[in-house]
Amino acid sequence: YTAAMSIVGKYGMDEAAQAFFDAMVAAGIKPTRLAYNSLLFAYVNANTDKSGERFLAVFQKMEADCDTPADAATVAAVLHGLAKRGLGKEAFEALKIFRASDTPVTQHSYNILLSCAEDVAQCEEVREEMKAAGYGMDEISYGSILKVCAKTCNVRAADAAFDEMCAAFTPTVREWTGYLTVYKEARDYDKCMEIWERMAAAGVVPNTVAYGAILRVHINALNDGPAPAACAATAEAICGEALDKGCVTSDHLVSLMMTVYGHSRNAAAAKRLLGHAKAARLRLHGFTKKSYTLATGERIP
């Protein structure tokens, strides 16, 4: 039963995992800690339980039923599940409970907690706990801090964290995109372009997420106005680059690109993008269709 829950849980099939769990209980088999962990991870990977109510119910039942203490996998599952649902305060409260029972907390769990912090000051508190537990900072730790900086528009802290990370590691496209996102949220077009150019100079190849972030920067600039002179042309060039490099693999990125083409009324580019999206079987959202009509004067057939 536990193996079955692990398999379906990997793909976020929470209802199937719950069905296996219920069948196990109905068969008179007492769930182990491992079985509960498998069920928790199914809810972590699912997108159906957005409020976290069912997830928390499973956790509470596990703590009431299990004879064995929580382990590191339980901690990771609980913190990840709460973080995914934006329940940062609950994640910090859960950690207090785990620490009180001397449950081991791994570096992975601390990194999740960093991303749940309300501000940079709380990140520093987590860093001190990590240090006391014998953990240093890794790329994911810094990426979590950058997420908090983006959430709070703290560009100074982001600069410091990114510089500190660069002194210890070579940033990947994920960390560069996280840094870019901070200035995207701060609506600083020039700084975003500087980061984008630095990333290229470092030989880092953008992925779908990175292209989405930089296009959102341009769309914000075009919508906020007055946009820099080359903003629209640069946005179109980035769209073309993303298509040429085969990075347009999400419906979200298609929507952003179509927004750019709608703004510039570029019918030819919009039609090329539509052809790609249909061939790749990407979903066309309502806003994507409106942008296409704006660009071409036609409705999507």
Side-chain angles (χ1 to χ4, degrees), residues 33 37 59 62-63 66 68-75 98 101-104:
R33 172 71 62 175
N37 285 344
F59 172 52
M62 174 174 66
E63 292 310 292
C66 278
T68 55
D71 56 21
T74 304
V75 178
F98 289 133
S101 60
D102 293 326
T103 304

Side-chain angles (χ1 to χ4, degrees), residues 146-196:
L146 289 174
K147 286 181 182 178
V148 175
C149 291
K151 182 171 62 178
T152 57
C153 286
N154 192 332
V155 296
R156 292 182 63 184
D159 289 341
F162 192 74
D163 288 345
E164 183 181 324
M165 177 178 60
C166 288
F169 307 102
T170 299
T172 67
V173 64
R174 180 174 57 190
E175 288 78 52
W176 278 104
T177 304
Y179 187 35
L180 174 68
T181 300
V182 177
Y183 280 94
K184 170 177 71 72
E185 295 301 321
R187 291 295 212 269
D188 190 333
Y189 176 85
D190 291 336
K191 182 65 177 181
C192 286
M193 289 307 299
E194 177 193 317
I195 293 171
W196 186 255

Side-chain angles (χ1 to χ4, degrees), residues 16-86:
Q18 186 68 60
F20 280 121
F21 184 87
D22 293 342
M24 177 173 61
V25 174
I29 301 172
K30 182 177 175 60
T32 63
R33 172 71 62 175
L34 180 59
Y36 269 111
N37 285 344
S38 298
L39 182 59
L40 277 176
F41 273 112
Y43 280 104
V44 168
N45 294 331
N47 292 316
T48 53
D49 181 33
K50 295 187 184 301
S51 68
E53 290 182 10
R54 286 187 294 167
F55 176 83
L56 287 171
V58 171
F59 172 52
Q60 291 163 358
K61 183 171 175 54
M62 174 174 66
E63 292 310 292
D65 291 353
C66 278
D67 299 327
T68 55
D71 56 21
T74 304
V75 178
V78 171
L79 295 184
H80 194 173
L82 294 172
K84 183 177 179 179
R85 292 162 176 83

Side-chain angles (χ1 to χ4, degrees), residues 211 215 218 230-244 260-261 266:
Y211 278 117
L215 285 178
H218 285 78
C231 181
T234 303
E236 287 205 32
I238 292 171
C239 288
E241 179 183 307
L243 262 176
D244 291 341
V260 170
Y261 294 143
N266 191 331

